[in-house]
Amino acid sequence: MTEIIPYPSPNYAERLPGSSIKYLILHYTACNLEMSLKILTDNNSSNPVSAHYVIDEAGCIYQLVDEVYQAWHAGVSFWKNREKLNTWSIGIELVNPGHGPNCSPFPSLQMESLLGLSKKITARHQIPAYHVLGHSDIAPGRKIDPGEHFDWAWLAQNGIGVYPPLKVDVEAEVPDVMTIQVLLQDIGYRIPLSGILDSYTINVIKAFQMHFMPDSVDGRLTKALGSRLNQVKQAYTL
Ligand SMILES: [Zn+2]
């Protein structure tokens, strides 16, 4: 296990009464290590932020906030029947340039460190595999990290998170909007059952695709989307 380097941030608070640690939320920082640590420890900002851990591209782990406290990584967020996910979660930030022209894969040293740390955290707090989520899952439309370049499949193969094998269902039909919305809601995304393909619904579809169909993040209603939603729903409701 990689040594954990203390790098305390003043940006934290008591967890809310009645809450406990139920989720592990993964992020990218969209900037380099130095800038990431600066932003995540800056309490003069108008919007102070933090995370429990930062993992750099070489796999070094920095601890900014004790797990007892809530770190400020999720913002306005929800999953299933819960909101304000900061109080219910541990947050890990991965140093990565994120989307855009400089986007680059997450190095294997970084992923190995993430895997080791996630195993400890999920064991310590008995976090189920289907409660390991991306920021984009809990704040669709507002956040797009850790993005489609993050290897959820590898992580799940190694015991963290859920990523059912991709199967093509030749029998599948193109689903209607209401069917898609119901499936997304069953999995955990917050989405109104309007039957209307509005911009919010498209953003939630894209959030789902970034996590579970990283090669087709297009927000389109397709047979492949319908069958993938059913596969994930089954895996999430075992
Ligand atoms: Zn984030």
Coordinates of all heavy atoms in Angstrom, one line a residue, residues 20 56 68 76 91 186 214 231:
S20 N -24.1 9.0 7.6 CA -23.0 8.1 7.8 C -22.4 7.9 6.4 O -22.9 8.3 5.4 CB -23.4 6.8 8.4 OG -24.4 6.2 7.6
D56 N -1.9 11.7 -7.2 CA -1.3 12.3 -8.4 C -1.0 11.3 -9.4 O -1.3 10.1 -9.3 CB 0.0 13.1 -7.9 CG 1.1 12.2 -7.5 OD1 1.1 11.0 -7.8 OD2 2.1 12.8 -7.0
V68 N -13.5 11.2 9.1 CA -14.6 11.5 10.1 C -15.5 12.7 9.6 O -16.7 12.8 9.9 CB -14.0 11.8 11.5 CG1 -15.0 12.4 12.5 CG2 -13.3 10.6 12.1
V76 N -23.9 20.5 -4.9 CA -25.4 20.1 -5.0 C -25.4 18.7 -5.7 O -24.9 18.5 -6.8 CB -26.1 21.1 -5.9 CG1 -27.6 20.6 -6.1 CG2 -26.1 22.5 -5.2
G91 N -14.6 11.5 -0.7 CA -14.3 11.9 -2.0 C -12.8 11.8 -2.3 O -11.9 12.1 -1.5
D186 N -34.4 4.2 -11.6 CA -34.2 2.9 -10.8 C -32.8 2.7 -10.4 O -32.4 2.2 -9.4 CB -34.7 1.8 -11.7 CG -36.2 1.7 -11.8 OD1 -36.9 2.4 -11.0 OD2 -36.7 0.9 -12.6
P214 N -18.6 4.2 -22.3 CA -17.7 5.3 -22.5 C -17.4 5.6 -24.0 O -16.8 6.6 -24.4 CB -16.4 4.9 -21.7 CG -16.5 3.4 -21.6 CD -18.0 3.1 -21.5
Q231 N -29.0 -3.8 -18.3 CA -27.9 -4.6 -17.7 C -27.4 -3.9 -16.4 O -27.2 -4.6 -15.4 CB -26.7 -4.6 -18.6 CG -26.8 -5.5 -19.9 CD -25.8 -5.2 -20.9 OE1 -24.8 -4.5 -20.7 NE2 -26.0 -5.7 -22.1

